[in-house]
Amino acid sequence: MPHQFLNLGWDEWGSIIVIFGTIFGAISYLGRNLLKTYVKNPLDGVRKDLQESQEKQVKNTEAFEKRAVEHDKILQGHEILLREHNIRLKELEEEKNEH
């Protein structure tokens, strides 16, 4: 009697624990492999595609920023030319009005 719990002996309890542990271990192993096969591996491809896409976007953004700086310089040059032409036109109009 002292070596029993719920009318089962310690050897029976040991067997039950080993059986449940084995079943739980097998289910865990299968579940991990199923998740790896059907979730992780396909998502690795998506993750790789997203990383490549992000790298391309960074390159494109850098190229656009570089082009924007170049276009700003060109625009400033055109604004200077426009001011010079405007001043020249005013001078010519003043000369014309004087005659």
Side-chain angles (χ1 to χ4, degrees):
M1 276 303 223
H3 298 289
Q4 290 188 349
F5 182 71
L6 297 176
N7 291 329
L8 296 174
W10 294 115
D11 58 341
E12 293 168 329
W13 278 111
S15 298
I16 291 172
I17 290 172
V18 168
I19 290 170
F20 280 127
T22 304
I23 291 171
F24 179 73
I27 291 172
S28 297
Y29 179 78
L30 288 173
R32 186 183 66 195
N33 284 337
L34 288 174
L35 284 174
K36 189 175 185 179
T37 302
Y38 293 108
V39 177
K40 184 184 177 297
N41 292 342
L43 288 180
D44 284 343
V46 171
R47 185 179 301 119
K48 181 182 173 188
D49 291 344
L50 287 174
Q51 287 174 340
E52 290 173 358
S53 175
Q54 182 183 16
E55 290 170 1
K56 288 178 183 178
Q57 286 177 347
V58 168
K59 288 179 184 178
N60 286 340
T61 302
E62 291 171 355
F64 287 139
E65 288 174 353
K66 184 178 178 181
R67 286 176 63 191
V69 169
E70 291 173 2
H71 286 272
D72 284 343
K73 288 178 184 177
I74 292 170
L75 181 62
Q76 288 173 355
H78 286 182
E79 287 176 348
I80 291 170
L81 287 175
L82 185 61
R83 278 190 224 118
E84 290 173 358
H85 288 306
N86 208 8
I87 291 171
R88 181 70 180 137
L89 281 173
K90 286 181 183 179
E91 289 174 355
L92 288 173
E93 286 177 355
E94 289 174 1
E95 285 179 12
K96 181 181 174 185
N97 288 338
E98 288 176 2
H99 289 25

Short mmCIF file of all heavy atoms in Angstrom, two decimals, residues 1-61:
data_model
loop_
_atom_site.label_atom_id
_atom_site.label_comp_id
_atom_site.label_asym_id
_atom_site.label_seq_id
_atom_site.Cartn_x
_atom_site.Cartn_y
_atom_site.Cartn_z
N MET A 1 0.80 -1.21 0.00
CA MET A 1 0.00 0.00 0.00
C MET A 1 0.84 1.28 0.00
O MET A 1 0.46 2.21 -0.69
CB MET A 1 -0.91 0.03 1.22
CG MET A 1 -2.19 -0.69 1.08
SD MET A 1 -3.16 -0.14 -0.27
CE MET A 1 -4.70 -0.11 0.48
N PRO A 2 1.92 1.38 0.76
CA PRO A 2 2.63 2.65 0.77
C PRO A 2 3.31 2.96 -0.55
O PRO A 2 3.67 4.09 -0.79
CB PRO A 2 3.66 2.47 1.89
CG PRO A 2 3.80 1.02 2.10
CD PRO A 2 2.53 0.40 1.65
N HIS A 3 3.49 2.01 -1.41
CA HIS A 3 4.14 2.24 -2.69
C HIS A 3 3.14 2.40 -3.82
O HIS A 3 3.44 2.11 -4.97
CB HIS A 3 5.08 1.07 -3.01
CG HIS A 3 6.18 0.93 -2.03
ND1 HIS A 3 7.22 1.80 -1.93
CD2 HIS A 3 6.41 0.00 -1.05
CE1 HIS A 3 8.04 1.43 -0.98
NE2 HIS A 3 7.55 0.33 -0.41
N GLN A 4 1.94 2.88 -3.51
CA GLN A 4 0.91 3.07 -4.53
C GLN A 4 0.33 4.48 -4.43
O GLN A 4 0.32 5.10 -3.37
CB GLN A 4 -0.23 2.06 -4.35
CG GLN A 4 0.17 0.66 -4.70
CD GLN A 4 -1.04 -0.27 -4.70
OE1 GLN A 4 -2.12 0.10 -4.25
NE2 GLN A 4 -0.84 -1.47 -5.22
N PHE A 5 -0.15 4.96 -5.57
CA PHE A 5 -0.82 6.25 -5.63
C PHE A 5 -1.98 6.09 -6.59
O PHE A 5 -1.78 5.70 -7.74
CB PHE A 5 0.16 7.33 -6.10
CG PHE A 5 -0.44 8.71 -6.16
CD1 PHE A 5 -0.75 9.40 -5.00
CD2 PHE A 5 -0.70 9.32 -7.37
CE1 PHE A 5 -1.30 10.67 -5.04
CE2 PHE A 5 -1.25 10.59 -7.43
CZ PHE A 5 -1.54 11.27 -6.27
N LEU A 6 -3.20 6.39 -6.14
CA LEU A 6 -4.43 6.19 -6.91
C LEU A 6 -4.54 4.75 -7.43
O LEU A 6 -4.85 4.50 -8.58
CB LEU A 6 -4.50 7.18 -8.08
CG LEU A 6 -4.56 8.66 -7.71
CD1 LEU A 6 -4.53 9.50 -8.97
CD2 LEU A 6 -5.81 8.99 -6.89
N ASN A 7 -4.23 3.83 -6.56
CA ASN A 7 -4.32 2.39 -6.82
C ASN A 7 -3.40 1.93 -7.94
O ASN A 7 -3.63 0.91 -8.59
CB ASN A 7 -5.76 1.96 -7.12
CG ASN A 7 -6.64 2.05 -5.90
OD1 ASN A 7 -6.17 1.88 -4.78
ND2 ASN A 7 -7.92 2.34 -6.11
N LEU A 8 -2.34 2.72 -8.24
CA LEU A 8 -1.36 2.29 -9.22
C LEU A 8 0.00 2.30 -8.55
O LEU A 8 0.35 3.19 -7.79
CB LEU A 8 -1.32 3.24 -10.43
CG LEU A 8 -2.59 3.31 -11.28
CD1 LEU A 8 -2.45 4.39 -12.34
CD2 LEU A 8 -2.89 1.97 -11.93
N GLY A 9 0.78 1.30 -8.88
CA GLY A 9 2.12 1.21 -8.30
C GLY A 9 3.07 2.16 -9.02
O GLY A 9 2.78 2.73 -10.07
N TRP A 10 4.26 2.36 -8.40
CA TRP A 10 5.23 3.30 -8.97
C TRP A 10 5.70 2.85 -10.35
O TRP A 10 5.95 3.69 -11.23
CB TRP A 10 6.43 3.47 -8.03
CG TRP A 10 6.05 4.13 -6.74
CD1 TRP A 10 6.08 3.58 -5.50
CD2 TRP A 10 5.56 5.46 -6.58
NE1 TRP A 10 5.64 4.48 -4.56
CE2 TRP A 10 5.31 5.66 -5.20
CE3 TRP A 10 5.27 6.50 -7.43
CZ2 TRP A 10 4.83 6.85 -4.67
CZ3 TRP A 10 4.79 7.69 -6.91
CH2 TRP A 10 4.58 7.87 -5.56
N ASP A 11 5.80 1.58 -10.57
CA ASP A 11 6.21 1.09 -11.89
C ASP A 11 5.15 1.39 -12.94
O ASP A 11 5.47 1.74 -14.08
CB ASP A 11 6.53 -0.40 -11.84
CG ASP A 11 5.35 -1.24 -11.35
OD1 ASP A 11 4.44 -0.67 -10.71
OD2 ASP A 11 5.34 -2.46 -11.61
N GLU A 12 3.89 1.30 -12.56
CA GLU A 12 2.81 1.64 -13.49
C GLU A 12 2.80 3.14 -13.79
O GLU A 12 2.60 3.56 -14.93
CB GLU A 12 1.46 1.20 -12.92
CG GLU A 12 1.35 -0.32 -12.83
CD GLU A 12 0.15 -0.78 -12.02
OE1 GLU A 12 -0.24 -0.05 -11.07
OE2 GLU A 12 -0.39 -1.83 -12.33
N TRP A 13 3.03 3.96 -12.75
CA TRP A 13 3.10 5.40 -12.95
C TRP A 13 4.29 5.75 -13.85
O TRP A 13 4.19 6.62 -14.72
CB TRP A 13 3.21 6.15 -11.62
CG TRP A 13 1.88 6.34 -10.96
CD1 TRP A 13 1.45 5.74 -9.82
CD2 TRP A 13 0.82 7.17 -11.41
NE1 TRP A 13 0.17 6.14 -9.51
CE2 TRP A 13 -0.24 7.03 -10.47
CE3 TRP A 13 0.63 8.01 -12.49
CZ2 TRP A 13 -1.45 7.70 -10.60
CZ3 TRP A 13 -0.57 8.68 -12.60
CH2 TRP A 13 -1.59 8.53 -11.68
N GLY A 14 5.38 5.10 -13.65
CA GLY A 14 6.56 5.31 -14.50
C GLY A 14 6.25 4.99 -15.94
O GLY A 14 6.64 5.72 -16.87
N SER A 15 5.55 3.88 -16.17
CA SER A 15 5.17 3.50 -17.53
C SER A 15 4.24 4.54 -18.16
O SER A 15 4.40 4.90 -19.33
CB SER A 15 4.49 2.13 -17.53
OG SER A 15 5.37 1.15 -17.07
N ILE A 16 3.28 5.02 -17.39
CA ILE A 16 2.34 6.03 -17.89
C ILE A 16 3.08 7.31 -18.27
O ILE A 16 2.85 7.89 -19.33
CB ILE A 16 1.24 6.31 -16.84
CG1 ILE A 16 0.32 5.08 -16.70
CG2 ILE A 16 0.44 7.56 -17.20
CD1 ILE A 16 -0.66 5.16 -15.55
N ILE A 17 4.01 7.73 -17.40
CA ILE A 17 4.77 8.96 -17.68
C ILE A 17 5.62 8.78 -18.94
O ILE A 17 5.69 9.68 -19.79
CB ILE A 17 5.63 9.34 -16.45
CG1 ILE A 17 4.71 9.81 -15.33
CG2 ILE A 17 6.64 10.42 -16.82
CD1 ILE A 17 5.40 10.04 -14.01
N VAL A 18 6.25 7.63 -19.10
CA VAL A 18 7.07 7.38 -20.30
C VAL A 18 6.19 7.37 -21.54
O VAL A 18 6.55 7.93 -22.58
CB VAL A 18 7.85 6.06 -20.14
CG1 VAL A 18 8.46 5.63 -21.47
CG2 VAL A 18 8.93 6.19 -19.08
N ILE A 19 5.03 6.74 -21.47
CA ILE A 19 4.12 6.68 -22.63
C ILE A 19 3.67 8.09 -23.00
O ILE A 19 3.73 8.48 -24.18
CB ILE A 19 2.92 5.76 -22.33
CG1 ILE A 19 3.39 4.31 -22.27
CG2 ILE A 19 1.84 5.94 -23.39
CD1 ILE A 19 2.36 3.34 -21.75
N PHE A 20 3.22 8.87 -22.01
CA PHE A 20 2.78 10.24 -22.31
C PHE A 20 3.94 11.10 -22.82
O PHE A 20 3.77 11.92 -23.73
CB PHE A 20 2.12 10.90 -21.09
CG PHE A 20 0.71 10.48 -20.87
CD1 PHE A 20 0.30 9.97 -19.64
CD2 PHE A 20 -0.24 10.59 -21.88
CE1 PHE A 20 -1.01 9.58 -19.44
CE2 PHE A 20 -1.55 10.21 -21.68
CZ PHE A 20 -1.94 9.70 -20.45
N GLY A 21 5.09 10.94 -22.23
CA GLY A 21 6.26 11.69 -22.69
C GLY A 21 6.62 11.36 -24.12
O GLY A 21 6.96 12.24 -24.93
N THR A 22 6.55 10.08 -24.46
CA THR A 22 6.84 9.65 -25.83
C THR A 22 5.82 10.19 -26.80
O THR A 22 6.17 10.69 -27.88
CB THR A 22 6.88 8.11 -25.91
OG1 THR A 22 7.83 7.62 -24.96
CG2 THR A 22 7.23 7.64 -27.29
N ILE A 23 4.55 10.13 -26.44
CA ILE A 23 3.49 10.66 -27.30
C ILE A 23 3.65 12.17 -27.48
O ILE A 23 3.59 12.68 -28.60
CB ILE A 23 2.09 10.31 -26.74
CG1 ILE A 23 1.84 8.80 -26.85
CG2 ILE A 23 1.00 11.09 -27.46
CD1 ILE A 23 0.59 8.33 -26.12
N PHE A 24 3.90 12.89 -26.38
CA PHE A 24 4.07 14.33 -26.46
C PHE A 24 5.30 14.68 -27.29
O PHE A 24 5.27 15.60 -28.12
CB PHE A 24 4.20 14.91 -25.04
CG PHE A 24 4.40 16.39 -25.03
CD1 PHE A 24 3.35 17.25 -25.33
CD2 PHE A 24 5.65 16.94 -24.75
CE1 PHE A 24 3.54 18.62 -25.33
CE2 PHE A 24 5.85 18.30 -24.74
CZ PHE A 24 4.78 19.15 -25.03
N GLY A 25 6.39 13.95 -27.11
CA GLY A 25 7.61 14.18 -27.89
C GLY A 25 7.39 13.94 -29.37
O GLY A 25 7.85 14.70 -30.22
N ALA A 26 6.66 12.86 -29.70
CA ALA A 26 6.39 12.56 -31.11
C ALA A 26 5.51 13.63 -31.74
O ALA A 26 5.75 14.07 -32.87
CB ALA A 26 5.72 11.18 -31.23
N ILE A 27 4.48 14.07 -31.01
CA ILE A 27 3.60 15.12 -31.52
C ILE A 27 4.38 16.42 -31.70
O ILE A 27 4.23 17.12 -32.71
CB ILE A 27 2.38 15.31 -30.59
CG1 ILE A 27 1.46 14.09 -30.69
CG2 ILE A 27 1.62 16.58 -30.94
CD1 ILE A 27 0.34 14.07 -29.67
N SER A 28 5.23 16.74 -30.74
CA SER A 28 6.04 17.95 -30.84
C SER A 28 6.98 17.88 -32.03
O SER A 28 7.13 18.85 -32.78
CB SER A 28 6.87 18.16 -29.57
OG SER A 28 6.03 18.35 -28.47
N TYR A 29 7.62 16.74 -32.23
CA TYR A 29 8.54 16.56 -33.36
C TYR A 29 7.80 16.69 -34.68
O TYR A 29 8.25 17.41 -35.59
CB TYR A 29 9.22 15.19 -33.24
CG TYR A 29 10.17 14.89 -34.36
CD1 TYR A 29 11.44 15.47 -34.38
CD2 TYR A 29 9.82 14.04 -35.40
CE1 TYR A 29 12.31 15.20 -35.41
CE2 TYR A 29 10.69 13.76 -36.43
CZ TYR A 29 11.94 14.35 -36.44
OH TYR A 29 12.81 14.07 -37.46
N LEU A 30 6.65 16.04 -34.79
CA LEU A 30 5.86 16.14 -36.03
C LEU A 30 5.36 17.56 -36.25
O LEU A 30 5.40 18.08 -37.37
CB LEU A 30 4.68 15.16 -35.98
CG LEU A 30 5.02 13.68 -36.12
CD1 LEU A 30 3.77 12.83 -35.90
CD2 LEU A 30 5.61 13.39 -37.49
N GLY A 31 4.89 18.18 -35.18
CA GLY A 31 4.40 19.56 -35.31
C GLY A 31 5.50 20.50 -35.74
O GLY A 31 5.31 21.37 -36.60
N ARG A 32 6.69 20.36 -35.16
CA ARG A 32 7.81 21.21 -35.54
C ARG A 32 8.19 21.01 -37.00
O ARG A 32 8.41 21.97 -37.73
CB ARG A 32 9.00 20.92 -34.63
CG ARG A 32 10.17 21.88 -34.88
CD ARG A 32 11.36 21.53 -34.05
NE ARG A 32 11.86 20.23 -34.50
CZ ARG A 32 12.70 19.49 -33.81
NH1 ARG A 32 13.12 19.89 -32.64
NH2 ARG A 32 13.11 18.34 -34.29
N ASN A 33 8.23 19.75 -37.42
CA ASN A 33 8.58 19.47 -38.82
C ASN A 33 7.50 19.97 -39.77
O ASN A 33 7.81 20.47 -40.86
CB ASN A 33 8.83 17.98 -39.03
CG ASN A 33 10.19 17.57 -38.50
OD1 ASN A 33 11.09 18.39 -38.38
ND2 ASN A 33 10.34 16.31 -38.18
N LEU A 34 6.23 19.83 -39.38
CA LEU A 34 5.15 20.34 -40.23
C LEU A 34 5.21 21.85 -40.34
O LEU A 34 5.06 22.42 -41.43
CB LEU A 34 3.79 19.89 -39.68
CG LEU A 34 3.45 18.42 -39.86
CD1 LEU A 34 2.14 18.09 -39.13
CD2 LEU A 34 3.34 18.05 -41.33
N LEU A 35 5.44 22.54 -39.22
CA LEU A 35 5.56 23.99 -39.25
C LEU A 35 6.76 24.42 -40.09
O LEU A 35 6.68 25.38 -40.86
CB LEU A 35 5.69 24.55 -37.83
CG LEU A 35 4.42 24.59 -37.01
CD1 LEU A 35 4.73 25.02 -35.58
CD2 LEU A 35 3.40 25.51 -37.63
N LYS A 36 7.85 23.70 -39.94
CA LYS A 36 9.05 24.03 -40.71
C LYS A 36 8.79 23.84 -42.21
O LYS A 36 9.17 24.68 -43.03
CB LYS A 36 10.20 23.14 -40.25
CG LYS A 36 11.54 23.51 -40.81
CD LYS A 36 12.60 22.61 -40.18
CE LYS A 36 13.98 23.01 -40.61
NZ LYS A 36 15.01 22.17 -40.00
N THR A 37 8.12 22.75 -42.56
CA THR A 37 7.88 22.44 -43.97
C THR A 37 6.85 23.37 -44.60
O THR A 37 7.05 23.85 -45.71
CB THR A 37 7.40 20.98 -44.11
OG1 THR A 37 8.39 20.12 -43.54
CG2 THR A 37 7.18 20.62 -45.56
N TYR A 38 5.76 23.63 -43.90
CA TYR A 38 4.65 24.35 -44.50
C TYR A 38 4.58 25.83 -44.15
O TYR A 38 3.82 26.56 -44.76
CB TYR A 38 3.32 23.68 -44.13
CG TYR A 38 3.18 22.31 -44.74
CD1 TYR A 38 3.29 21.17 -43.97
CD2 TYR A 38 3.00 22.17 -46.11
CE1 TYR A 38 3.18 19.90 -44.52
CE2 TYR A 38 2.90 20.91 -46.67
CZ TYR A 38 2.99 19.78 -45.89
OH TYR A 38 2.89 18.55 -46.45
N VAL A 39 5.36 26.27 -43.16
CA VAL A 39 5.31 27.68 -42.77
C VAL A 39 6.68 28.34 -42.92
O VAL A 39 6.82 29.32 -43.64
CB VAL A 39 4.80 27.84 -41.31
CG1 VAL A 39 4.83 29.29 -40.88
CG2 VAL A 39 3.40 27.27 -41.18
N LYS A 40 7.68 27.82 -42.25
CA LYS A 40 8.98 28.48 -42.23
C LYS A 40 9.65 28.50 -43.60
O LYS A 40 10.10 29.54 -44.05
CB LYS A 40 9.90 27.81 -41.22
CG LYS A 40 11.24 28.52 -41.07
CD LYS A 40 12.16 27.76 -40.14
CE LYS A 40 13.52 28.41 -40.04
NZ LYS A 40 14.25 28.44 -41.28
N ASN A 41 9.73 27.35 -44.25
CA ASN A 41 10.42 27.29 -45.54
C ASN A 41 9.77 28.19 -46.59
O ASN A 41 10.48 28.91 -47.30
CB ASN A 41 10.53 25.85 -46.04
CG ASN A 41 11.47 25.02 -45.17
OD1 ASN A 41 12.27 25.56 -44.43
ND2 ASN A 41 11.37 23.71 -45.28
N PRO A 42 8.43 28.18 -46.75
CA PRO A 42 7.84 29.11 -47.72
C PRO A 42 8.04 30.57 -47.33
O PRO A 42 8.25 31.42 -48.20
CB PRO A 42 6.35 28.75 -47.70
CG PRO A 42 6.28 27.35 -47.23
CD PRO A 42 7.43 27.21 -46.27
N LEU A 43 8.01 30.88 -46.04
CA LEU A 43 8.21 32.25 -45.60
C LEU A 43 9.66 32.70 -45.79
O LEU A 43 9.92 33.89 -45.94
CB LEU A 43 7.79 32.44 -44.16
CG LEU A 43 6.28 32.40 -43.91
CD1 LEU A 43 5.97 32.59 -42.44
CD2 LEU A 43 5.56 33.44 -44.74
N ASP A 44 10.59 31.75 -45.80
CA ASP A 44 11.99 32.12 -46.07
C ASP A 44 12.12 32.70 -47.47
O ASP A 44 12.85 33.67 -47.68
CB ASP A 44 12.91 30.91 -45.92
CG ASP A 44 13.16 30.54 -44.46
OD1 ASP A 44 12.91 31.39 -43.59
OD2 ASP A 44 13.62 29.40 -44.21
N GLY A 45 11.39 32.12 -48.44
CA GLY A 45 11.40 32.66 -49.80
C GLY A 45 10.80 34.06 -49.84
O GLY A 45 11.33 34.96 -50.51
N VAL A 46 9.71 34.25 -49.12
CA VAL A 46 9.07 35.57 -49.07
C VAL A 46 10.01 36.56 -48.40
O VAL A 46 10.16 37.70 -48.85
CB VAL A 46 7.72 35.48 -48.32
CG1 VAL A 46 7.15 36.85 -48.06
CG2 VAL A 46 6.74 34.60 -49.09
N ARG A 47 10.65 36.15 -47.31
CA ARG A 47 11.58 37.02 -46.60
C ARG A 47 12.73 37.43 -47.53
O ARG A 47 13.13 38.59 -47.56
CB ARG A 47 12.14 36.29 -45.38
CG ARG A 47 13.03 37.15 -44.51
CD ARG A 47 13.55 36.41 -43.28
NE ARG A 47 12.46 35.92 -42.45
CZ ARG A 47 12.25 34.64 -42.16
NH1 ARG A 47 13.06 33.72 -42.62
NH2 ARG A 47 11.23 34.28 -41.41
N LYS A 48 13.25 36.48 -48.30
CA LYS A 48 14.34 36.78 -49.24
C LYS A 48 13.87 37.78 -50.30
O LYS A 48 14.57 38.74 -50.61
CB LYS A 48 14.82 35.50 -49.90
CG LYS A 48 15.96 35.69 -50.87
CD LYS A 48 16.35 34.38 -51.52
CE LYS A 48 17.38 34.62 -52.61
NZ LYS A 48 17.65 33.42 -53.38
N ASP A 49 12.67 37.55 -50.84
CA ASP A 49 12.12 38.47 -51.85
C ASP A 49 11.94 39.88 -51.27
O ASP A 49 12.22 40.87 -51.93
CB ASP A 49 10.78 37.96 -52.38
CG ASP A 49 10.92 36.71 -53.23
OD1 ASP A 49 12.05 36.41 -53.66
OD2 ASP A 49 9.90 36.02 -53.44
N LEU A 50 11.45 39.96 -50.03
CA LEU A 50 11.26 41.27 -49.39
C LEU A 50 12.60 41.98 -49.17
O LEU A 50 12.70 43.19 -49.36
CB LEU A 50 10.52 41.12 -48.06
CG LEU A 50 9.03 40.80 -48.17
CD1 LEU A 50 8.46 40.53 -46.78
CD2 LEU A 50 8.29 41.94 -48.83
N GLN A 51 13.61 41.23 -48.78
CA GLN A 51 14.93 41.83 -48.58
C GLN A 51 15.48 42.37 -49.89
O GLN A 51 16.02 43.47 -49.95
CB GLN A 51 15.90 40.83 -47.96
CG GLN A 51 15.63 40.54 -46.50
CD GLN A 51 16.52 39.44 -45.95
OE1 GLN A 51 17.09 38.65 -46.69
NE2 GLN A 51 16.64 39.38 -44.63
N GLU A 52 15.34 41.59 -50.97
CA GLU A 52 15.81 42.04 -52.28
C GLU A 52 15.04 43.28 -52.72
O GLU A 52 15.62 44.23 -53.25
CB GLU A 52 15.66 40.92 -53.32
CG GLU A 52 16.62 39.77 -53.11
CD GLU A 52 16.33 38.61 -54.05
OE1 GLU A 52 15.36 38.68 -54.84
OE2 GLU A 52 17.08 37.62 -53.99
N SER A 53 13.74 43.26 -52.50
CA SER A 53 12.91 44.41 -52.87
C SER A 53 13.32 45.65 -52.08
O SER A 53 13.41 46.75 -52.64
CB SER A 53 11.44 44.08 -52.62
OG SER A 53 10.63 45.19 -52.84
N GLN A 54 13.58 45.48 -50.80
CA GLN A 54 13.99 46.61 -49.96
C GLN A 54 15.34 47.16 -50.43
O GLN A 54 15.53 48.37 -50.50
CB GLN A 54 14.07 46.19 -48.51
CG GLN A 54 14.45 47.34 -47.58
CD GLN A 54 14.60 46.90 -46.15
OE1 GLN A 54 14.72 45.71 -45.86
NE2 GLN A 54 14.62 47.85 -45.23
N GLU A 55 16.27 46.27 -50.76
CA GLU A 55 17.57 46.72 -51.25
C GLU A 55 17.42 47.51 -52.54
O GLU A 55 18.07 48.55 -52.72
CB GLU A 55 18.50 45.52 -51.45
CG GLU A 55 18.93 44.86 -50.15
CD GLU A 55 19.64 43.54 -50.36
OE1 GLU A 55 19.83 43.12 -51.53
OE2 GLU A 55 20.02 42.91 -49.35
N LYS A 56 16.57 47.04 -53.45
CA LYS A 56 16.33 47.76 -54.69
C LYS A 56 15.70 49.12 -54.43
O LYS A 56 16.04 50.11 -55.08
CB LYS A 56 15.43 46.94 -55.62
CG LYS A 56 16.11 45.74 -56.22
CD LYS A 56 15.17 44.94 -57.09
CE LYS A 56 15.84 43.69 -57.63
NZ LYS A 56 14.91 42.88 -58.44
N GLN A 57 14.77 49.18 -53.48
CA GLN A 57 14.13 50.46 -53.15
C GLN A 57 15.14 51.44 -52.58
O GLN A 57 15.09 52.63 -52.88
CB GLN A 57 12.99 50.24 -52.15
CG GLN A 57 11.76 49.62 -52.77
CD GLN A 57 10.67 49.36 -51.74
OE1 GLN A 57 10.90 49.41 -50.55
NE2 GLN A 57 9.48 49.08 -52.24
N VAL A 58 16.06 50.95 -51.75
CA VAL A 58 17.09 51.83 -51.19
C VAL A 58 17.97 52.37 -52.31
O VAL A 58 18.28 53.57 -52.35
CB VAL A 58 17.93 51.07 -50.14
CG1 VAL A 58 19.17 51.84 -49.76
CG2 VAL A 58 17.09 50.78 -48.90
N LYS A 59 18.37 51.50 -53.25
CA LYS A 59 19.19 51.95 -54.38
C LYS A 59 18.43 52.97 -55.22
O LYS A 59 18.99 53.99 -55.64
CB LYS A 59 19.60 50.76 -55.24
CG LYS A 59 20.64 49.88 -54.60
CD LYS A 59 21.00 48.71 -55.49
CE LYS A 59 21.98 47.77 -54.81
NZ LYS A 59 22.30 46.61 -55.64
N ASN A 60 17.15 52.70 -55.49
CA ASN A 60 16.35 53.63 -56.28
C ASN A 60 16.20 54.97 -55.57
O ASN A 60 16.27 56.03 -56.20
CB ASN A 60 14.96 53.04 -56.57
CG ASN A 60 15.00 51.96 -57.62
OD1 ASN A 60 15.94 51.87 -58.39
ND2 ASN A 60 13.98 51.14 -57.64
N THR A 61 15.99 54.92 -54.26
CA THR A 61 15.85 56.15 -53.49
C THR A 61 17.13 56.97 -53.55
O THR A 61 17.09 58.19 -53.74
CB THR A 61 15.50 55.83 -52.03
OG1 THR A 61 14.29 55.08 -51.99
CG2 THR A 61 15.33 57.10 -51.20
#
